[in-house]
Amino acid sequence: MKKMSLRARVLTGAVAAAALSAGTFGALSANAAQPAAAPQKPAATADVSGRDVHRTSHLTAAAATRAAQAVLKAAAEDNQRVTVAVVDRNGNTITVVRGDGAGPQSYESAERKAFTAVSWNAPTSELVERLENAPNLKDIPGTLFLGGGVPVAVDGAPVAGIGVAGAPSGALDEKYAQAGVAALAR
């Protein structure tokens, strides 16, 4: 899937905002012309008990950015050019930073490593070993079983994943990803 350029995303966002504004203005204008209706009760409400609700924690964008910067700094100290991706608990990308000089393949690889790490709440280097007993794991869409992805957990529950790609080995990628986790612990 091809990613849209920044210019295309900004233009698309502006068009969407204009359409939303026009629709909202039209709805308000239409409602203003009609007499006020009696307030309606909601069709149904439920007071759900706490045992029926699952709550999750998510990493903030500021924390994800801090982790990504720590990864790039650690890689630069070793003169490595990498890309770092940070995804939330659901595998949605929070941030991706392609370091100066990082290879074009590193962008997608970093995202997939981060997704894989958070999905299994384990470093991808450990997950590579699981492929020996369950080779079909590699067929799950969006995953990448190469070293370089680490989960971020709070009280043992995953809240994010950090994926790094572009160093000469998965072990180095994982070392840099761990630097991102360490930055979050400070």
Side-chain angles (χ1 to χ4, degrees):
M1 180 167 93
K2 185 174 178 184
K3 303 229 183 224
M4 291 195 308
S5 70
L6 177 61
R7 183 177 182 181
R9 288 187 304 221
V10 169
L11 216 58
T12 302
V15 169
L20 182 61
S21 297
T24 301
F25 179 76
L28 290 174
S29 297
N31 286 338
Q34 297 178 8
Q40 295 191 2
K41 293 182 185 179
T45 61
D47 213 2
V48 179
S49 69
R51 73 178 190 283
D52 294 327
V53 176
H54 178 76
R55 294 187 174 108
T56 61
S57 297
H58 294 268
L59 200 62
T60 65
T65 302
R66 191 170 66 246
Q69 291 300 323
V71 166
L72 293 177
K73 181 179 179 198
E77 288 171 359
D78 288 346
N79 201 29
Q80 296 298 318
R81 294 169 178 88
V82 300
T83 296
V84 57
V86 182
V87 301
D88 69 11
R89 171 62 189 109
N90 300 321
N92 299 311
T93 302
I94 300 171
T95 189
V96 179
V97 182
R98 184 175 164 269
D100 294 336
Q105 78 288 354
S106 64
Y107 191 97
E108 183 179 352
S109 296
E111 282 186 311
R112 291 175 59 191
K113 288 178 184 184
F115 174 82
T116 305
V118 76
S119 296
W120 276 275
N121 195 24
T124 53
S125 60
E126 289 178 18
L127 296 171
V128 170
E129 297 170 11
R130 294 186 196 178
L131 286 178
E132 293 173 15
N133 296 327
N136 291 354
L137 284 178
K138 69 180 179 342
D139 297 332
I140 297 172
T143 60
L144 185 59
F145 292 86
L146 295 174
V150 296
V152 177
V154 173
D155 297 328
V159 296
I162 299 175
V164 178
S169 72
L172 278 175
D173 285 339
E174 189 166 316
K175 171 186 168 186
Y176 305 139
Q178 289 291 355
V181 173
L184 296 173
R186 291 184 217 137

